[in-house]
Amino acid sequence: MSAEELKVNGNGNGTIAPLQNVALFTSLVRRTVNRPGHLPGMATFHGYSGYGKTFAATYAANKFGARYIEMGESWTKKKLCASILTELGVQAQARTVSDQMDQIIEALAIDGVPLIIDEADYLATKGLINLVREIHDKSGAPVLLIGEEGLPGALSKWERVHNRMLDWVPAQPSTLADAKHLARLYCPHVSVEDALLEQITEAASGRARRICVSLERVRELASVEGLDSVGPAQWGKREFFRGQPPARRK
Amino acid sequence: MSRLPVDEQNKLLRGQDLYWRIIRTLGASGGEFTVPDVAGKTNAARDSVREYMTRLEKAGYLVRRGTCGGMVTFAVAKDSRFTPRIRRDGSEVPPSKQDQMWRTMKMLKRFTVHDLSVAASTDTVTVSSVHAEDYVRHLVKAGYVRQLSDDLFALLPSKNTGPRAPYIQRVKHVYDPNLDRVVWRSGHDE
């Protein structure tokens, strides 16, 4: 491996910041945090499953000290409030939803950090979105909703919610540039040829998660065969990762 | 355990955690206070309290209001629910690697040690795979993280205890500040 390759690939501890969706979400959070006072501070980051939305969101969450909850299918108002309070570190939680809302609003108003709600589709299906709007209105804290492709459509039914949105940002399918950066992060000691990365990206249909699994296989191949560099010739007729198994790795 | 009155709670706090609690109490609703006012409610040396309050002022948490009996009076200018950690020069102590790993673990439903080190690293705070592995292994021992396969891990939903990262103490215990409890001790189950 040349010195130049070592410099590019030799550091396994790079950040995910250059990935397209990471840049999109980080910019979105920055805009909600720095918005002028008269603008609303809610936003969506939405897209198909597997685009790596949550993975992409970790960078901004850490940069801005965001609080994060992931909604569940069975969630009620009470569960939503209790989960937010726990995530905010409020020890003595009030008994009723309305008192819990006061606690959430007070804590978020003091902290001034963004609140990220993942699987936000459930906010629409469960009719809990107005609770979130109230939290945003009264605390002034930015609220980022992460969800599926249909999230904006589902939320636009509520006009008052619609008016609170600073922006609706669609997550993007992974590109070759993303695959190259993922190769730097996931195969730090292997040089992966562009031709192979192109094939991996195409087989993944833009799903970042699938690219990572394929790259993991490249890393294993390189490790087993003692290769410094892997391209279509070394890869041969092996399969790329296309489908969605129950777990990412065996 | 029933909730202790605030004064009893204060007895459990020490150092900057205690000073900040007192400052928030005295400074509630725009109240003004002096260094001796705060120090008088602790067993700490007045210099130690003054040192912390100087840092808080530099960082914008406190503002000078005037003098009272020759002592400078302060008011709270910026509130915080958690004890501000301020360096001598007035800059905030950056989030720890464990804070970033803890937040990232909550977000990634399933993760490898490598995923965690990659996703928890920012341009200013870099988490190495070695550090990520050490943290994950300790949280497995504490029963917070479950090992799903050779290299896949997941934080147990019931162990999502709060915003503050459980940390490995120097004596190799895992302490959860959200619960104020040691959740794993070395040598007990190894």
Side-chain angles (χ1 to χ4, degrees):
Chain A
M1 195 182 280
S2 73
E4 184 60 23
E5 276 169 336
L6 262 179
K7 210 172 91 189
V8 175
N9 292 338
N11 174 14
N13 302 321
T15 77
I16 58 174
L19 295 173
Q20 191 186 201
N21 283 331
V22 178
L24 283 172
F25 188 73
T26 306
S27 150
L28 181 62
V29 177
R30 184 171 291 117
R31 279 183 286 137
T32 59
V33 169
N34 297 334
R35 73 190 190 276
H38 63 279
L39 288 181
M42 288 178 71
T44 67
F45 186 56
H46 56 277
Y48 295 105
S49 166
Y51 275 10
K53 298 181 294 287
T54 309
F55 183 77
T58 56
Y59 191 84
N62 281 320
K63 282 303 280 183
F64 291 90
R67 308 280 40 127
Y68 171 91
I69 59 159
E70 184 200 333
M71 293 279 301
E73 162 88 57
S74 65
W75 280 29
T76 58
K77 281 184 181 180
K78 183 117 193 172
K79 175 68 179 174
L80 175 66
C81 287
S83 297
I84 296 175
L85 281 172
T86 301
E87 174 65 5
L88 291 173
V90 174
Q91 306 276 353
Q93 298 189 3
R95 280 162 199 270
T96 66
V97 167
S98 47
D99 289 341
Q100 288 180 340
M101 284 289 286
D102 288 347
Q103 290 184 307
I104 292 171
I105 289 159
E106 184 187 326
L108 272 175
I110 293 173
D111 296 356
V113 294
L115 174 65
I116 298 173
I117 303 182
D118 205 345
E119 304 288 345
D121 311 86
Y122 291 124
L123 290 175
T125 56
K126 300 265 168 184
L128 301 175
I129 185 66
N130 271 318
L131 228 54
V132 174
R133 180 187 56 79
E134 186 183 343
I135 290 170
H136 165 69
D137 283 359
K138 293 186 178 166
S139 72
V143 176
L144 287 299
L145 305 178
I146 300 179
E148 292 295 313
E149 189 67 14
L151 180 63
L155 292 180
S156 58
K157 275 185 270 176
W158 285 271
E159 197 187 337
R160 285 198 293 177
V161 174
H162 200 270
N163 293 340
R164 301 310 192 283
M165 291 293 170
L166 185 70
D167 205 354
W168 319 74
V169 173
Q172 299 296 323
S174 294
T175 61
L176 178 63
D178 288 332
K180 280 187 188 178
H181 188 68
L182 286 169
R184 269 176 227 128
L185 297 174
Y186 279 84
C187 303
H189 306 297
V190 186
S191 161
V192 187
E193 287 176 24
D194 282 3
L196 184 62
L197 284 174
E198 270 172 32
Q199 293 174 7
I200 288 174
T201 309
E202 200 182 309
S205 315
R207 260 71 168 170
R209 205 181 285 163
R210 296 184 191 173
I211 294 178
C212 292
V213 179
S214 288
L215 286 171
E216 179 67 8
R217 291 184 186 169
V218 170
R219 198 186 59 75
E220 278 169 18
L221 172 70
S223 159
V224 170
E225 310 268 326
L227 303 170
D228 287 339
S229 172
V230 179
Q234 291 75 30
W235 187 257
K237 297 229 175 293
R238 289 175 180 84
E239 283 291 303
F240 293 109
F241 188 76
R242 292 169 190 278
Q244 285 189 316
R248 240 191 64 186
R249 317 237 171 122
K250 64 179 186 300
Chain B
M1 192 180 82
S2 63
R3 224 161 110 76
L4 294 166
V6 171
D7 278 3
E8 292 296 313
Q9 284 178 32
N10 282 354
K11 279 181 191 158
L12 304 173
L13 295 174
R14 276 175 303 148
Q16 296 183 351
D17 289 330
L18 175 60
Y19 310 160
W20 181 247
R21 172 77 66 91
I22 294 166
I23 288 168
R24 277 194 94 193
T25 309
L26 293 174
S29 321
E32 296 182 11
F33 47 89
T34 64
V35 171
D37 288 342
V38 178
K41 295 187 179 296
T42 74
N43 296 322
R46 192 180 286 186
D47 281 349
S48 154
V49 175
R50 176 178 291 117
E51 223 275 302
Y52 182 58
M53 288 175 66
T54 304
R55 292 185 192 201
L56 288 172
E57 188 193 358
K58 281 183 186 163
Y61 287 93
L62 297 184
V63 63
R64 282 171 197 251
R65 274 291 154 76
T67 55
C68 174
M71 304 302 296
V72 178
T73 57
F74 293 92
V76 174
K78 182 165 77 175
D79 194 10
S80 168
R81 298 186 300 123
F82 302 102
T83 309
R85 304 285 175 209
I86 316 288
R87 294 201 192 98
R88 201 175 293 273
D89 67 0
S91 62
E92 303 256 354
V93 173
S96 75
K97 296 173 194 218
Q98 293 183 356
D99 285 335
Q100 295 197 175
M101 283 193 277
W102 178 241
R103 179 183 284 109
T104 305
M105 265 188 236
K106 290 194 236 180
M107 296 180 70
L108 304 176
K109 267 125 278 201
R110 289 186 268 197
F111 54 88
T112 65
V113 164
H114 198 79
D115 290 334
L116 185 60
S117 80
V118 161
S121 291
T122 61
D123 53 345
T124 46
V125 180
T126 307
V127 178
S128 71
S129 292
V130 174
H131 193 170
E133 169 124 35
D134 182 60
Y135 191 51
V136 168
R137 296 277 169 212
H138 275 91
L139 290 185
V140 168
K141 286 175 186 161
Y144 275 51
V145 168
R146 199 157 68 91
Q147 184 159 8
L148 305 171
S149 68
D150 281 356
D151 58 354
L152 260 189
F153 298 87
L155 177 69
L156 290 172
S158 64
K159 296 298 182 182
N160 188 348
T161 50
R164 302 168 70 195
Y167 55 88
I168 304 158
Q169 297 177 317
R170 210 167 295 170
V171 286
K172 289 290 169 194
H173 293 173
V174 178
Y175 171 77
D176 184 341
N178 303 298
L179 306 176
D180 188 20
R181 208 160 64 208
V182 171
V183 291
W184 177 76
R185 288 171 208 278
S186 64
H188 276 226
D189 56 3
E190 275 186 315

